[in-house]
Amino acid sequence: LKRCNFCGSNAPADFVAVFVGGSDLHPSGLISGSLSVAAMAYNPPARTPQDEEEAVLSNTTSLLQGALLEAIRRQSGDDASKVEQLLQMSKDAHTSNTMQSLSDLVDAISAKDLATVASAFNMMLTLENIAEDVSSHARTNVTALAGIDPIVGVTESTVDKLLAGGDWGKPRTKEAVAAALHQIHYDIVFTAHPTQVMRKSLLQKCQEIRNLMHSLRSKSLTPHDEEEQKEKLKMLIHTCWRTDELRRKPPTPEEEMRSNLSYVRMSIFPAVPVFLRRLSKMCVKAGLGEYPLDKSPFKFSSWMGGDRDGNPNVTASVTRNVVLTLRIEATNMYINEIQKLMFDLSSWRATPEFLAKLDLSAERFSKKYGDPAAITTMRRCRGYDAFFAPLAKNEPYRKMLAEVRDRLWDTRAALTAWLTEGGDMPEGLLPRQPGHDGLSSPVYEGPYVQKEELLQPLLAIRDSLIASGDGIIAEARLTDLIRQVTCFGLAFMALDVRQESTRHMEAMDAITQLLGLGSYASWSEEEKVKFLERELNSKRPLIPTAVMKEVSGTSRTDAPSQLNDEVKEVLATFATIAKLPLDSFGTYVISMAQTASDVLAVRLFQKEFGVASPMLRVAPLFETLDDLNNAAGSLKTLFSCEEYRNNHIVGGVQEVMIGYSDSGKDAGRLAAAWAQYETQEKLVRVAKDFGIDLVFFHGRGGTVGRGGGPVQLAVRAQPAGTIQKGRMRVTVQGEVIERQFGEMTTACGTLDAYVSAMMEAELRDPPPVKPEWRALMAELQSTSCEAYRQVVFRDPRFVEYFRDVTPSAELGRANIGSRPAKRKAVDSVGSIRAIPWIFAWTQTRFNLPVWLGVGDAIRLASQNPAQKAVLKDMYQNFIFFRTVIDLLEMVFAKSDQNIATLYDAKLATSQELKDMGSALRKNFMETRAAILSLAGHDDLLHGSKEEVNVPEKCKDRKMSGDARLKRHIDMRSVFITPLNLMQVRCLLETRNAAKAGQTSTPVKSTACMDARSDLALVEDALLLTVKGIAAGLQNTG
């Protein structure tokens, strides 16, 4: 083995020499000399998990980066040379602090070449992400050889610890552990928040590259197969290089939904039955019994097409289209699975009970379609793969599945017609009575309208197979499909609807004024609550029929409307919800919720428009620091409303959403985190007084500044008693969706982490929060919040400084999402959405919103010996505080004050702003030192923290999770730094051009790509740096 002087990793000496032309540079792209394709075949022998991971990472990175450089050389050898030169100088800059030389080299690149070089670095970081995925997968495979199930290993470890007791409290009984597992209901909500910077076209190609890299590691490949795989790999990378990486227009909400669907279709849908199958086997092995077939610990929901808060592009018609598209996609998936199942289930033996149901099926078809020839013709016209003619009785399961397939086809046809033609719900899709038995019906019923109808024949087949001695067949694809239907239903993903509270108030105000009842907006909260409670209890409709028809699209009059467009859109949303299947919706979320009337108004609108019982549950979203502090009072007022408490709490469970984004922007990360912690405790106490259960919906983002972090740490850090009966909802967005669910094995690992964390939260004895901890946290919160607000909200220089030294104003051009970056057209911190606020600071590697104020609080407390001792005690024993500090340490590891200095030096437009930047960087270093001192670390990520709940056999004694993270950060910095320097140059040039009145012509066609002006090329290069830095840091918003 030869030690690489780039990252310190070990790789075979001949391997290094072949890839770098005899030099000892790292193989991850710092390639000098020629690349030997033959050398790519090197497969290192399996060693420890760490050795395997490092060797595979080096091997994979070299193969991918080499193929990319080869593609660049085919286009321009000069560009490839510039890329290699920049890489070498970036490495030197990180080891010998020669940043100025690297900056000079970037400034010397022509505008024509700048976009190409930026694109190369962007692509290198994308390929580095793939290489890390592949190496992580290899490490998992090695641990699997040690007897650890890579699919449910973390959950298995949790079960073992709960049964054994010890550090986790008293031993739990098997019955208690099984009960806790069975009640888990974790709702994973995908949002359309704009943090995924990569185009869908490239995401799909990256998935193909990832799959190819996995297959290249197969020991069974013949030399010819291997050669073909590598040729395909080079073709894919060349295609990526030739694909325009920039979105030339913003995506529509429907496009965002379809992009999200690709993850569900390719990764999550097949991962769920695999995970549940392994989970059930693990339960049997642990003595817990099989995991029930009628349960799923997960539900998948979405905000894409339902989140209209500040997004005028999400309309009632968009919501309708998204709901129906999701249902159509569900039927597509089930039809494919049923056809596969028909090939599998060729068995002839069945129970008499099942055969009797089959006779009824034949009778139904005879009445509906006539003779066998007519049935055959019908099925051929539908384009099925096989099994057209009515099947013989010696294939009973295929015969039953043929009817299931036909009814699914009918379902899809009805939904498609409804989607394209509009109107009310077709008669064939109208709800049936709960518990309806379609297998006993003498009439062919056509489309499925609820998942229980689809489950009935599948469960009947399973019961018959098991009773006939064919249980091994029943437990295969059939059980997998039953698991999928149980999890996804006919809706596929439930759609949440979100709207801002003031929009509901404006709509209600318009109604009351129209009716001559006065101005609802001017009433006191007490008056609003009394009015709403009275109307909820009334059998008389409040909204006039003419208004109902107008917003529902059924009005035939041309008379001018008495309502403005904003009010009509709010009301049209409720009219649309009422027309669609209720199971297609999850929660109605009210952003910027402050009072009980905010919730009551939404329930009243649902009642007025006839949303089916029990209607959508309504969740107030408490976001700002003041909203969090007042949340308990608002909830108490809401629960005091007898009508609401008795008739409008769905299933006896009230959902409350906790906002991490706006509270962090409002008060700073530390102050917001403690407010979220205490608010949850207070809300649980209020709910308990009224005998109501709470389920918390955590609106987390990808970055620490928006509540992001490892799943298990996030769940562990929740207050005791706030995760009730295994219920929790959490948002997953943007690049986090790709990271957690990008491929099936990764999706299984994510599901494993969720289940393990929820079981631990339910059964592990949490240490009590000491009074002195609470007292000190209150002081830390106050001090940090004051220090944060003093800079962000009270310093008159700050907004201008933010606009100068970050790419905040330019982020909108990246066309990342369909939602505008600002709530209002006002240039203030308050008007900026939390995602671009965090995104902009992440790009500069300064991450100011995460750490600002924290250092002030810790330093002040550390001056008091008694409080300093409490700080140390909290870090060692208070998991909430420990998590906050450890995540801050990770943020500092990803930050770089030298890069931030460059942004200030070249972009700040006055000495006053430069002085502000200098003071903030001083604060940055002082806060960094305070964090290291508190954690007892000499340098960032140099602690000995163990990975969260990793099975003993999987723990890597040579490299902790922190050490691995630090190594990856250091490797990525060499690629990211040139992009930062290019970004600074691009920002300076585009802003100077704007001041001079210069503009560029938007690219509208392929021909325009080659005819771009220098300014257009620099603008493209700027956006490419945004994408590349985001890909390198792996969390942006």
Side-chain angles (χ1 to χ4, degrees):
L1 295 179
K2 184 173 182 181
R3 186 172 180 79
C4 172
N5 66 12
F6 175 67
C7 72
S9 64
N10 292 321
D14 58 339
F15 177 70
V16 173
V18 166
F19 271 99
V20 297
S23 72
D24 58 354
L25 295 177
H26 190 269
S28 61
L30 304 183
I31 303 174
S32 59
S34 60
L35 178 76
S36 168
V37 175
M40 297 178 185
Y42 181 83
N43 283 310
R47 297 181 289 278
T48 67
Q50 176 202 341
D51 290 336
E52 179 74 359
E53 182 179 27
E54 287 195 42
V56 171
L57 179 60
S58 293
N59 190 352
T60 305
T61 302
S62 298
L63 176 52
L64 295 176
Q65 306 289 17
L68 175 61
L69 281 173
E70 191 175 309
I72 298 172
R73 283 195 190 97
R74 278 194 290 269
Q75 175 182 311
S76 168
D78 186 51
D79 287 338
S81 298
K82 285 187 175 69
V83 171
E84 291 179 301
Q85 186 181 3
L86 270 176
L87 279 168
Q88 177 62 61
M89 193 165 286
S90 180
K91 177 211 167 187
D92 294 340
H94 280 80
T95 56
S96 57
N97 198 24
T98 56
M99 193 67 70
Q100 187 57 51
S101 299
L102 181 61
S103 180
D104 293 341
L105 181 59
V106 167
D107 289 342
I109 299 174
S110 68
K112 178 178 178 296
D113 294 335
L114 193 61
T116 300
V117 174
S119 181
F121 277 86
N122 178 23
M123 186 59 65
M124 283 184 173
L125 282 161
T126 298
L127 295 176
E128 182 68 17
N129 288 341
I130 295 174
E132 288 188 8
D133 288 344
V134 173
S135 65
S136 177
H137 189 267
R139 185 172 186 265
T140 301
N141 287 343
V142 173
T143 60
L145 294 176
I148 300 298
D149 189 335
I151 304 296
V152 294
V154 180
T155 300
E156 185 174 19
S157 175
T158 298
V159 169
D160 291 343
K161 291 176 181 178
L162 290 170
L163 294 174
D167 292 341
W168 283 31
K170 65 182 180 181
R172 306 296 181 178
T173 64
K174 292 179 179 179
E175 292 75 15
V177 173
L181 179 59
H182 295 171
Q183 73 176 1
I184 291 174
H185 186 80
Y186 200 101
D187 194 348
I188 302 164
V189 185
F190 295 140
T191 76
H193 287 30
T195 60
Q196 174 53 271
V197 294
M198 189 181 295
R199 289 181 59 199
K200 181 180 176 182
S201 296
L202 287 169
L203 281 170
Q204 292 176 336
K205 290 179 177 63
C206 287
Q207 182 60 51
E208 289 187 67
I209 292 171
R210 192 181 287 114
N211 293 339
L212 267 177
M213 293 309 303
H214 288 316
S215 66
L216 275 170
R217 296 194 66 251
S218 171
K219 305 298 181 183
S220 62
L221 278 180
T222 67
H224 297 292
D225 291 337
E226 187 176 330
E227 183 71 22
E228 284 191 3
Q229 296 277 49
K230 287 174 181 172
E231 287 300 317
K232 185 176 180 181
L233 179 67
K234 291 200 294 184
M235 179 276 295
L236 280 170
I237 291 177
H238 187 94
T239 304
C240 288
W241 175 244
R242 286 300 213 179
T243 299
D244 187 8
E245 297 161 272
L246 300 177
R247 291 189 181 102
R248 298 297 172 177
K249 62 179 182 177
T252 66
E254 289 99 329
E255 288 170 341
E256 289 174 328
M257 178 272 295
R258 292 190 190 98
S259 178
N260 175 58
L261 260 181
S262 64
Y263 292 107
V264 183
R265 186 189 305 112
M266 302 302 296
S267 302
I268 301 172
F269 189 78
V272 164
V274 172
F275 176 80
L276 292 178
R277 190 190 319 132
R278 296 283 187 91
L279 181 67
S280 188
K281 289 180 179 178
M282 183 274 295
C283 288
V284 172
K285 179 182 174 183
L288 308 180
E290 292 185 348
Y291 187 79
L293 195 61
D294 62 346
K295 292 184 179 295
S296 172
F298 314 108
K299 179 181 178 182
F300 295 92
S301 302
S302 174
W303 277 16
M304 301 179 191
D307 182 11
R308 60 236 314 122
D309 175 22
N311 190 348
N313 299 308
V314 179
T315 62
S317 62
V318 166
T319 295
R320 172 187 175 277
N321 293 346
V322 165
V323 163
L324 296 180
T325 300
L326 286 169
R327 296 185 81 89
I328 291 169
E329 183 63 28
T331 59
N332 287 334
M333 300 297 286
Y334 294 143
I335 288 172
N336 290 337
E337 294 302 316
I338 288 294
Q339 294 201 132
K340 294 175 188 175
L341 197 56
M342 290 177 78
F343 280 99
D344 287 357
L345 298 187
S346 56
S347 306
W348 61 270
R349 191 185 299 275
T351 62
E353 294 80 8
F354 182 82
L355 292 175
K357 292 175 181 177
L358 204 59
D359 289 338
L360 282 173
S361 174
E363 182 182 336
R364 289 192 291 269
F365 265 84
S366 178
K367 290 179 180 178
K368 174 70 176 176
Y369 292 106
D371 60 21
I375 296 173
T376 301
T377 300
M378 175 268 292
R379 288 176 176 163
R380 286 191 182 279
C381 291
R382 292 183 171 189
Y384 296 148
D385 292 337
F387 306 115
F388 308 110
L391 293 148
K393 282 195 173 183
N394 66 346
E395 295 180 315
Y397 304 118
R398 286 177 170 173
K399 196 173 183 69
M400 177 69 77
L401 288 172
E403 181 178 9
V404 174
R405 182 180 61 176
D406 288 334
R407 292 191 63 185
L408 283 169
W409 195 95
D410 292 338
T411 307
R412 181 174 62 187
L415 289 167
T416 303
W418 190 13
L419 175 64
T420 56
E421 297 169 11
D424 293 333
M425 183 183 292
E427 184 177 352
L429 295 174
L430 292 173
R432 299 187 181 96
Q433 288 295 323
H436 174 75
D437 184 6
L439 296 182
S440 300
S441 173
V443 179
Y444 179 79
E445 296 185 332
Y448 289 115
V449 298
Q450 52 196 21
K451 73 175 182 181
E452 289 75 16
E453 295 176 356
L454 177 55
L455 285 170
Q456 284 172 0
L458 301 179
L459 291 170
I461 292 172
R462 187 175 188 273
D463 291 343
S464 178
L465 284 168
I466 292 172
S468 302
D470 295 324
I472 191 171
I473 299 175
E475 295 299 334
R477 194 189 301 273
L478 173 62
T479 294
D480 285 354
L481 179 56
I482 292 171
R483 298 277 195 200
Q484 288 167 322
V485 175
T486 300
C487 178
F488 295 97
L490 296 180
F492 211 30
M493 303 177 76
L495 185 70
D496 280 3
V497 177
R498 184 171 75 138
Q499 182 58 280
E500 190 182 356
S501 58
T502 56
R503 295 292 300 276
H504 303 131
M505 184 186 68
E506 291 165 359
M508 191 63 73
D509 184 73
I511 296 298
T512 58
Q513 293 205 51
L514 183 65
L515 295 172
L517 300 176
S519 173
Y520 174 86
S522 66
W523 297 348
S524 68
E525 174 63 11
E526 183 179 359
E527 290 173 321
K528 290 176 182 175
V529 168
K530 285 183 179 179
F531 168 76
L532 294 169
E533 189 172 15
R534 184 173 64 250
E535 292 300 325
L536 280 168
N537 195 38
S538 173
K539 295 182 180 179
R540 164 190 50 77
L542 173 69
I543 301 177
T545 302
V547 172
M548 301 281 279
K549 288 183 177 180
E550 180 183 2
V551 299
S552 300
T554 58
S555 176
R556 299 179 183 275
T557 179
D558 295 327
S561 175
Q562 296 177 280
L563 305 174
N564 64 40
D565 290 342
E566 288 77 12
V567 168
K568 285 192 291 185
E569 182 55 43
V570 169
L571 299 179
T573 297
F574 290 100
T576 297
I577 293 171
K579 292 180 180 179
L580 294 166
L582 189 64
D583 65 329
S584 279
F585 292 98
T587 299
Y588 196 111
V589 178
I590 309 170
S591 56
M592 295 298 173
Q594 297 176 326
T595 60
S597 63
D598 291 334
V599 176
L600 294 171
V602 171
R603 289 297 292 186
L604 179 56
F605 280 133
Q606 290 192 70
K607 170 180 172 286
E608 288 294 311
F609 281 92
V611 176
S613 180
M615 301 196 286
L616 274 67
R617 57 185 181 270
V618 181
L621 166 53
F622 299 112
E623 299 182 81
T624 67
L625 189 62
D626 286 344
D627 290 347
L628 288 167
N629 291 335
N630 297 328
S634 298
L635 200 66
K636 184 175 182 180
T637 303
L638 181 64
F639 289 164
S640 297
C641 299
E642 186 175 353
E643 169 66 18
Y644 180 80
R645 190 174 66 250
N646 294 338
N647 300 312
H648 293 275
I649 298 178
V650 179
V653 179
Q654 175 65 50
E655 184 174 323
V656 174
M657 186 168 184
I658 302 297
Y660 289 74
S661 304
D662 284 283
S663 57
K665 181 163 70 80
D666 179 39
R669 183 72 196 105
L670 180 60
W674 184 240
Q676 292 148 8
Y677 189 96
E678 286 199 305
T679 296
Q680 290 180 73
E681 291 182 313
K682 293 173 185 176
L683 291 174
V684 166
R685 287 196 292 269
V686 169
K688 186 176 180 181
D689 290 342
F690 287 91
I692 296 169
D693 290 339
L694 284 186
V695 57
F696 284 104
F697 184 5
H698 296 274
R700 297 181 180 276
T703 58
V704 174
R706 297 187 54 246
V711 169
Q712 288 188 292
L713 283 179
V715 175
R716 271 188 177 183
Q718 296 305 307
T722 58
I723 300 177
Q724 300 180 349
K725 299 179 181 178
R727 292 181 296 234
M728 180 185 278
R729 304 186 82 215
V730 66
T731 56
V732 182
Q733 64 190 44
E735 81 287 348
V736 183
I737 300 176
E738 165 71 18
R739 196 162 67 244
Q740 293 188 353
F741 298 99
E743 57 180 335
M744 202 179 89
T745 53
T746 306
C748 286
T750 300
L751 300 180
D752 188 21
Y754 284 142
V755 171
S756 168
M758 293 299 286
M759 291 192 67
E760 183 180 345
E762 183 73 20
L763 295 177
R764 186 178 183 181
D765 293 332
V769 182
K770 299 177 184 178
E772 58 266 33
W773 293 354
R774 290 188 182 277
L776 184 53
M777 281 305 309
E779 290 191 32
L780 294 174
Q781 180 187 45
S782 176
T783 304
S784 66
C785 182
E786 175 61 25
Y788 176 88
R789 288 179 169 176
Q790 188 63 40
V791 173
V792 174
F793 293 103
R794 299 187 194 124
D795 193 316
R797 302 170 297 175
F798 183 77
V799 172
E800 186 179 0
Y801 174 76
F802 170 64
R803 293 300 188 198
D804 271 9
V805 304
T806 74
S808 59
E810 290 79 7
L811 287 177
R813 287 190 235 153
N815 294 323
I816 298 171
S818 64
R819 189 167 69 167
K822 278 188 175 184
R823 292 182 185 272
K824 300 174 182 177
V826 180
D827 198 23
S828 68
V829 173
S831 70
I832 303 167
R833 288 197 171 275
I835 292 173
W837 164 251
I838 295 289
F839 202 157
W841 287 113
T842 305
Q843 287 281 305
T844 68
R845 313 273 290 281
F846 201 36
N847 295 298
L848 178 139
V850 185
W851 56 262
L852 184 60
V854 178
D856 301 78
I858 293 176
R859 287 194 301 274
L860 182 61
S862 298
Q863 293 173 9
N864 183 319
Q867 288 190 333
K868 186 175 183 178
V870 175
L871 275 175
K872 291 287 186 182
D873 184 28
M874 286 167 57
Y875 182 74
Q876 293 299 325
N877 301 301
F878 189 12
I879 185 62
F880 161 80
F881 185 69
R882 173 72 173 254
T883 299
V884 170
I885 298 302
D886 285 351
L887 289 175
L888 274 170
E889 185 179 353
M890 183 271 288
V891 168
F892 275 107
K894 288 189 173 185
S895 303
D896 189 330
Q897 75 142 351
N898 293 323
I899 297 296
T901 301
L902 190 68
Y903 278 79
D904 283 2
K906 292 199 173 185
L907 298 175
T909 52
S910 71
Q911 187 58 46
E912 192 178 23
L913 298 181
K914 293 180 191 294
D915 292 343
M916 184 177 198
S918 179
L920 287 172
R921 291 195 302 278
K922 180 174 180 290
N923 192 337
F924 172 94
M925 294 305 295
E926 290 172 348
T927 302
R928 180 183 184 275
I931 293 293
L932 288 175
S933 175
L934 177 57
H937 298 163
D938 296 329
D939 198 2
L940 296 170
L941 302 182
H942 275 196
S944 57
K945 297 187 293 294
E946 288 189 351
E947 297 172 76
V948 180
N949 194 24
V950 175
E952 288 298 321
K953 292 181 183 178
C954 290
K955 287 183 180 176
D956 197 327
R957 305 303 177 185
K958 295 173 65 179
M959 182 180 285
S960 70
D962 274 358
R964 185 177 296 106
L965 175 61
K966 179 172 176 55
R967 175 176 173 273
H968 288 175
I969 290 173
D970 289 345
M971 287 177 61
R972 287 166 177 274
S973 290
V974 174
F975 298 104
I976 298 172
T977 296
L979 286 168
N980 281 121
L981 299 179
M982 284 184 262
Q983 186 174 96
V984 170
R985 174 188 163 180
C986 293
L987 286 170
L988 188 61
E989 292 185 11
T990 55
R991 290 174 183 180
N992 287 339
K995 290 176 184 176
Q998 299 176 30
T999 58
S1000 63
T1001 303
V1003 173
K1004 295 182 179 179
S1005 67
T1006 305
C1008 295
M1009 292 288 288
D1010 292 328
R1012 286 172 289 176
S1013 65
D1014 284 355
L1015 179 56
L1017 288 165
V1018 172
E1019 288 175 343
D1020 279 1
L1022 171 59
L1023 298 180
L1024 287 165
T1025 66
V1026 169
K1027 292 165 60 67
I1029 294 168
L1033 295 175
Q1034 289 191 307
N1035 47 18
T1036 54

